[in-house]
Amino acid sequence: MSAFRMYVRVVSPTLTPEEISDRLGLQPDEAHAVGSRRRPDHPPRAFTSWMRHATAATPEARPEDLEPVVLGWGHEFARALGQLADAGGEVSLVIVQRIEDPENTAATGIFLGRPLIDWLSTAKGSLDIDQYVHHDCR
């Protein structure tokens, strides 16, 4: 399993996943509607979330390996995301980093190139980095 995952997320308190898909012209890899539940005992979701995952050919993918995948979605998609952001949706590029060995330099550090930053700017999105350290420090 890669130490990194990357995806675009759209969050909206009013739109359904189908409406977001229609506006973006793409289907999500994952979506959750307002009112749905993670589990039966959890409260209903207060917002819709729509996600498109960047996947790479190798399991050791780093953010710079996933960057071409996101850029390959094109500037039309980024512009459509920006229009959703203007209409009240929240757009973000999410990077999840899992660190199991702090000494493994391939699993640490995050680099984002200017083309990806420009794409994210067109999408009027934010950057969300989640880092999880799983290490026994005895």
Side-chain angles (χ1 to χ4, degrees), residues 1-2 21 26 53 112:
M1 178 169 108
S2 175
S21 294
L26 290 171
H53 299 274
L112 303 177

Side-chain angles (χ1 to χ4, degrees), residues 23 78-91 121-125:
R23 291 184 184 201
R79 280 190 286 281
L81 288 166
Q83 291 171 349
L84 271 175
D86 285 341
E90 181 183 317
V91 174
S121 176
T122 300
K124 299 182 182 177

Side-chain angles (χ1 to χ4, degrees), residues 10-132:
V10 177
V11 173
S12 173
T14 58
L15 296 174
T16 66
E18 295 79 19
E19 290 169 324
I20 293 171
S21 294
D22 287 346
R23 291 184 184 201
L24 296 177
L26 290 171
Q27 293 300 310
D29 293 317
E30 182 180 348
H32 307 284
V34 171
S36 65
R37 298 173 187 261
R38 290 182 197 271
R39 293 187 193 91
D41 59 329
H42 283 192
R45 296 175 198 265
F47 53 85
T48 291
S49 58
W50 184 103
M51 289 145 298
R52 183 147 180 100
H53 299 274
T55 56
T58 64
E60 301 84 25
R62 296 188 34 81
E64 53 268 29
D65 300 320
L66 298 170
E67 185 171 324
V69 175
V70 175
L71 294 174
W73 294 337
H75 283 283
E76 274 303 309
F77 179 55
R79 280 190 286 281
L81 288 166
Q83 291 171 349
L84 271 175
D86 285 341
E90 181 183 317
V91 174
S92 56
L93 178 67
V94 181
I95 299 173
V96 180
Q97 180 182 24
R98 181 180 174 103
I99 301 171
E100 294 190 19
D101 178 5
E103 302 300 319
N104 179 359
T105 58
T108 58
I110 295 172
F111 173 82
L112 303 177
R114 182 181 175 125
L116 183 59
I117 300 299
D118 289 344
W119 187 92
L120 188 56
S121 176
T122 300
K124 299 182 182 177
S126 62
L127 178 62
D128 178 357
I129 300 174
D130 296 333
Q131 297 173 303
Y132 301 95

